[in-house]
Amino acid sequence: MLDETHDGTLTSWIGSANAPEADFPVQNLPFGVFRRRAPSGAASLVQRLEAPRYDSDAASRMGEARVGVAIGDQIVDLSVAAALGVFDDAPDGDLVREAVVACEAWTLNPLMALGRAPARALRVALSRCLRIDGPDAPRARDVADRILVPMAQAELLLPVDVGDYTDFYASIHHATLVGSLFRPDNPLLPNYKWVPIGYHGRSSSIVVSGTPVRRPMGQRKGPDDSAPSVGPSRSLDYELELGVFVAGENAMGTPIPIGEADAHVFGVVIVNDWSARDVQSWEYQPLGPFLGKNFATSISPWVVTMDALIPFRVPRAARAGDDPAPLAYLDDAQDRAAGGLDITLEVSLRTAAMRSSGEEGVVISHGSSAELYWTFAQMLAHHTMNGCPMRPGDLFASGTISGATRDARGCLLEMTRRGAEPLVLPNGETRKFLEDGDEVVMTAWAERPGFQRIGLGRCGGAIVA
Ligand code: MN
């Protein structure tokens, strides 16, 4: 349901939120986790790679990590704002207090555990504080220097402690094209139009945007090799995806019906499911992806709530006339009418040579989540039909988002047809797959006439040898 927060005419007293292409206008208000940057500057790339990941994250989070909301180029420190009474007169005060208590944490899991209602109430409270003539704006402006942290002075951390991670395969264009490369005679397997296909990923390798990605070692076997060899992957790829975080939970043995699934989707992030194609193609049969997929998966730092995305819901993508209708547990009038999400995504690539000559990255493909064959509600209903329990902060990714045309292919495997048709960049460089030093940046946004455009921010990472 649309409410006062979605009004396209709202502007904020924080000027940067009103820029035409701003990702974080007052209509967005995504949640994230940040810490103030150490005065000595960020750790070097080498220090970050060599630090034991678990220990450094835990230490930093327990000491300094805080839950915040993005507005323009600023972050609202929610605990400080609440302590200063900024939300005291908000409607639905009990829900707002519940949300604020959950935000006194170093992850968004406690907030996600409450379901969508407390976060929605806090969103309304924030809108009333941050919009230019909001009823609580004077109170927030009085303490602006205490509740706002410039993004330039903050480090954005992994926003969620992801317990379980499932990656789906919801783009039929991707499934058909990749299928044609791996199995020319049999591209789309017979289960595809019946079952939302997925695999269980590895949450320990989920990293926040900006984290360097080390080229993985593996057993590689190219299509023309007679035997596998061991070494760094020779066909490292990105996958352009959208991810959603689970809100609330379901008891083991109790499915989430499709009609209730939307209440269990908290919000979305951009996902880059880095993939080692030579490892993947050798290992994937018969049990599916394994080491070709679990060395790194990057996510964008700001979780854009499903409440912010209400104006951008669209009907579930139409199926071709001779496709089977979804089975009853995967079908629902609400999902048919508004189960889709109209988000545009874009991938840019910046090579080491481009960086050293001061060139910006170039956009190499784009995609739209509106074309996905399965909705996130269908994925959740399917995933829990056997009673599989979901926990707050579990991550579902869409699978590579590809469209029908070459410039809408969400990974290099598809774009270059497994290296057969290399990508030619404007500076003359070519790519079959990613080289060391390549930086991949994904961005995404939603727009619709009559509403304010909102962005998901960016999900970037550079390959190191
Ligand atoms: Mn994937």
Side-chain angles (χ1 to χ4, degrees):
M1 293 256 289
L2 291 172
D3 62 32
E4 62 188 78
T5 66
H6 300 108
D7 182 344
T9 66
L10 300 178
T11 54
S12 174
W13 50 267
I14 297 163
S16 58
N18 306 324
E21 295 282 286
D23 277 343
F24 309 122
V26 72
Q27 289 87 349
N28 193 344
L29 305 175
F31 290 90
V33 174
F34 72 100
R35 66 175 167 183
R36 288 172 193 264
R37 219 181 262 285
S40 52
S44 75
L45 193 89
V46 171
Q47 284 171 322
R48 292 183 63 172
L49 277 174
E50 311 231 312
R53 181 179 170 276
Y54 176 77
D55 288 352
S56 60
D57 274 12
S60 68
R61 286 171 164 188
M62 287 190 290
E64 308 153 44
R66 316 187 59 82
V67 172
V69 161
I71 175 84
D73 61 5
Q74 304 287 311
I75 303 170
V76 180
D77 185 320
L78 289 175
S79 295
V80 172
L84 293 174
V86 167
F87 307 129
D88 282 0
D89 288 340
D92 294 317
D94 288 345
L95 283 174
V96 173
R97 275 185 289 280
E98 223 185 315
V100 161
V101 169
C103 291
E104 289 169 7
W106 45 268
T107 69
L108 298 178
N109 297 63
L111 182 64
M112 291 175 172
L114 300 174
R116 283 175 57 177
R120 184 185 305 128
L122 180 54
R123 167 182 167 78
V124 173
L126 281 158
S127 175
R128 294 162 76 95
C129 295
L130 298 173
R131 61 201 202 216
I132 207 155
D133 50 0
D136 296 318
R139 183 187 302 222
R141 295 185 79 155
D142 277 350
V143 292
D145 59 333
R146 296 171 69 186
I147 65 173
L148 296 179
V149 178
M151 281 188 197
Q153 292 171 24
E155 181 183 2
L156 300 174
L157 304 176
L158 198 61
V160 178
D161 188 15
V162 181
D164 278 299
Y165 160 46
T166 303
D167 193 18
F168 284 87
Y169 200 46
S171 164
I172 193 168
H173 299 293
H174 172 67
T176 306
L177 246 157
V178 169
S180 74
L181 297 171
F182 282 68
R183 293 177 307 273
D185 307 333
N186 189 17
L188 198 63
L189 294 170
N191 56 7
Y192 188 83
K193 294 175 179 176
W194 299 92
V195 182
I197 299 292
Y199 70 92
H200 286 129
R202 177 97 188 154
S203 55
S204 64
S205 57
I206 295 174
V207 294
V208 73
S209 172
T211 308
V213 174
R214 196 193 291 265
R215 180 178 298 273
M217 298 289 283
Q219 264 199 41
R220 315 156 302 185
K221 185 179 171 303
D224 303 324
D225 299 341
S226 59
S229 59
V230 173
S233 170
R234 297 180 183 121
S235 44
L236 186 53
D237 202 355
Y238 61 82
E239 290 192 336
L240 173 65
E241 307 195 14
L242 206 58
V244 300
F245 286 106
V246 171
E249 57 193 331
N250 60 306
M252 189 159 179
T254 308
I256 297 174
I258 189 163
E260 294 169 24
D262 244 21
H264 286 279
V265 180
F266 184 89
V268 307
V269 288
I270 306 166
V271 175
N272 182 349
D273 180 27
W274 303 96
S275 300
R277 301 302 185 188
D278 41 4
V279 177
Q280 180 188 357
S281 62
W282 173 232
E283 74 179 4
Y284 87 108
Q285 287 178 317
L287 287 187
F290 188 33
L291 301 190
K293 293 280 194 175
N294 66 7
F295 55 94
T297 300
S298 303
I299 66 171
S300 54
W302 294 107
V303 182
V304 174
T305 62
M306 294 308 284
D307 290 303
L309 288 163
I310 287 172
F312 312 104
R313 299 308 296 260
V314 291
R316 188 170 79 199
R319 292 183 162 214
D322 49 355
D323 284 4
L327 294 170
Y329 78 98
L330 295 173
D331 199 14
D332 170 71
Q334 176 64 23
D335 192 58
R336 276 196 298 272
L341 260 177
D342 189 7
I343 295 176
T344 303
L345 303 99
E346 212 167 66
V347 183
S348 75
L349 175 64
R350 192 181 193 204
T351 66
M354 291 161 75
R355 200 159 41 246
S356 62
S357 65
E359 291 169 69
E360 293 299 317
V362 288
V363 173
I364 55 173
S365 78
H366 60 82
S368 167
S369 60
E371 296 176 20
L372 293 177
Y373 199 78
W374 299 103
T375 66
F376 285 109
Q378 287 175 316
M379 295 178 215
L380 196 58
H382 180 68
H383 205 320
T384 60
M385 75 176 298
N386 63 350
C388 176
M390 295 295 135
R391 292 177 295 194
D394 283 359
L395 177 64
F396 280 30
S398 60
T400 306
I401 297 176
S402 291
T405 55
R406 190 177 194 234
D407 63 350
R409 293 181 185 163
C411 57
L412 289 173
L413 173 71
E414 289 176 64
M415 210 184 309
T416 69
R417 299 197 64 85
R418 212 179 191 173
E421 301 168 20
L423 177 70
V424 181
L425 300 171
N427 68 355
E429 288 185 280
T430 60
R431 285 293 181 274
K432 296 177 175 176
F433 289 100
L434 297 171
E435 303 286 341
D436 294 342
D438 284 356
E439 184 185 13
V440 177
V441 174
M442 299 175 175
T443 54
W445 64 92
E447 56 192 343
R448 178 182 157 196
F451 291 90
Q452 176 64 39
R453 170 199 189 276
I454 64 174
L456 275 68
R458 52 185 267 145
C459 179
I463 308 299
V464 295

